[in-house]
Amino acid sequence: MSYRVVHYINQFFAQIGGEEMAHVAPELRDGFVGPGMALNTAWKGEVEIVKTIVCGDSYFAEHEKEATEQILSWVEAEKPDLFIAGPAFNAGRYGYACATICNAVQEKLGIRVLTGMYEENPGADLKNKVLMVATTNSAAGMRKAAPTMAALALKILKGEKLGACVEEGYMPNGIRVNFFEKERGAKRAVDMLVKKLNGQPFTTEYPMPSFDRVAPNKAIKDLSKATIALCTSGGIVPKGNPDHIESSSASHYGEYCIAGVDDLTAETYETAHGGYDPVYANADADRVLPVDILREFEKEGKIGKLHDYYYSTVGNGTSVANAKKFAAEYAQKLRNAGVHAVIMTST
């Protein structure tokens, strides 16, 4: 007799649609759907996905209590041996939903759980409570994520002891155990030092967190003489998205001239962002990138000048590493242009 699993996925992986269908309410389906096929294949008959729960990311975010209660009732009725969610990769709302549902299932129903996502996903904040497989930041990593999750699930179901996170592929969860290495610590330390000095790859045994500290700049004494620039992670781009900035997990940013532009109209600008309802931004992009207001301040003498260029990308699912790279590039351009301050808008 095979083990029974209930699987949770969002509307995208259920092939219902993208952001335009993120409002769909929870639904229960028989068997596996989408990524469940990869899990089922890896289990080779030892484990079966008996039900798949589908829920839109926006629906869960806006109706968390109702969605959680409905999903818990379905899981409780099915009485599975394991509950799996995702993997969500770097989709923020999806990751949050996966982690939240898993936490509720194990706390309220006492059923073991497993999920997977990128380490920078907001849902990863619950990694000390929910077992999570570390994935890449996009669904392109499904080929590696599914077998890793399947293997870990099988160990959980069979009651086998899990190895270290670096061996099993799950995120560090704060649990430390003593074990004995074959080589002495002094030798391992020297080996790592030699590799580091020679520019060779090595893996530390005690990774330290990397904290980003940005010191605030001094206040501008006279705004009436200052050049102010606009930047945004809200995805505002010229109509047609000429640089093809991705709606999620952006790999680049755009630089756009607004010299002589007083208003971002629906005919000339739009948003490329896939993480919020674009209707209002498309109707008036000034709601996200306030060019119209800055032009008023410019004419009234409240600021010296609005910079001729703005920089735009999509923050939805974009990794911290990419965001830092974008900012470093256009911050230098702004400095070279003599810009005194930047207004950075989100969504």
Side-chain angles (χ1 to χ4, degrees):
M1 182 179 177
S2 62
Y3 296 103
R4 303 170 71 256
V5 166
V6 170
H7 189 202
Y8 175 89
I9 59 176
N10 72 352
Q11 83 286 345
F12 176 79
F13 286 101
Q15 298 183 343
I16 295 174
E19 188 62 30
E20 76 282 1
M21 296 302 294
H23 63 278
V24 296
E27 61 177 274
L28 187 65
R29 299 187 186 182
D30 291 328
F32 62 80
V33 178
M37 179 182 293
L39 294 172
N40 251 24
T41 300
W43 284 323
K44 298 178 181 179
E46 290 189 82
V47 184
E48 178 188 5
I49 294 177
V50 292
K51 297 286 184 181
T52 297
I53 297 172
V54 178
C55 182
D57 289 336
S58 292
Y59 185 92
F60 187 87
E62 296 168 5
H63 307 85
E64 183 175 327
K65 183 176 182 294
E66 299 93 323
T68 300
E69 289 177 353
Q70 177 62 79
I71 293 167
L72 284 175
S73 68
W74 283 336
V75 176
E76 185 176 25
E78 199 59 39
K79 295 181 172 57
D81 300 300
L82 182 70
F83 178 82
I84 292 182
F89 302 103
N90 201 26
R93 288 171 301 161
Y94 187 21
Y96 175 80
C98 287
T100 301
I101 288 297
C102 281
N103 193 45
V105 167
Q106 69 180 3
E107 284 191 351
K108 298 186 178 182
L109 303 181
I111 294 171
R112 292 166 294 185
V113 300
L114 175 66
T115 186
M117 63 191 70
Y118 186 51
E119 292 175 323
E120 292 180 9
N121 192 305
D125 288 347
L126 286 177
K127 64 184 178 183
N128 286 359
K129 293 183 178 181
V130 176
L131 190 64
M132 299 181 182
V133 166
T135 72
T136 60
N137 68 346
S138 74
M142 182 66 79
R143 185 172 295 180
K144 180 180 179 181
T148 302
M149 290 182 70
L152 200 57
L154 202 54
K155 275 198 166 187
I156 296 170
L157 289 165
K158 292 182 177 180
E160 298 176 4
K161 185 177 180 181
L162 300 185
C165 57
V166 292
E167 298 171 348
E168 304 284 7
Y170 60 88
M171 295 185 200
N173 53 15
I175 299 174
R176 296 181 180 178
V177 295
N178 292 325
F179 68 95
F180 294 94
E181 278 280 8
K182 294 179 181 179
E183 293 183 335
R184 288 182 177 275
K187 183 180 184 304
R188 300 198 310 275
V190 171
D191 287 344
M192 282 191 284
L193 177 59
V194 170
K195 288 181 178 179
K196 182 176 182 179
L197 292 174
N198 290 327
Q200 298 173 340
F202 67 93
T203 303
T204 179
E205 295 180 8
Y206 194 67
M208 299 298 293
S210 177
F211 296 106
D212 188 12
R213 303 286 185 182
V214 179
N217 205 359
K218 293 181 180 179
I220 297 175
K221 293 182 179 180
D222 189 356
L223 279 173
S224 67
K225 296 179 181 179
T227 298
I228 310 296
L230 283 172
C231 296
T232 185
S233 62
I236 300 303
V237 294
K239 199 76 171 182
N241 190 10
D243 293 310
H244 306 291
I245 296 176
E246 300 91 338
S247 62
S248 177
S249 303
S251 63
H252 59 294
Y253 64 89
E255 178 183 44
Y256 306 110
C257 181
I258 49 173
V261 176
D262 293 335
D263 185 27
L264 305 184
T265 67
E267 292 73 34
T268 54
Y269 290 87
E270 63 184 358
T271 180
H273 205 292
Y276 64 89
D277 188 339
V279 172
Y280 298 103
N282 286 342
D284 184 358
D286 290 293
R287 288 168 170 154
V288 179
L289 195 77
V291 171
D292 54 353
I293 299 299
L294 268 294
R295 288 299 184 202
E296 288 182 18
F297 287 173
E298 190 179 49
K299 292 172 183 176
E300 294 169 1
K302 292 182 179 179
I303 63 171
K305 183 182 186 301
L306 175 60
H307 186 50
D308 287 343
Y309 292 87
Y310 78 90
Y311 297 90
S312 178
T313 190
V314 166
N316 180 34
T318 299
S319 68
V320 171
N322 273 348
K324 284 184 176 180
K325 182 179 72 173
F326 302 162
E329 289 181 9
Y330 64 68
Q332 192 59 53
K333 293 180 180 181
L334 292 168
R335 284 175 63 92
N336 293 342
V339 171
H340 298 94
V342 174
I343 296 175
M344 181 75 183
T345 68
S346 183
T347 55

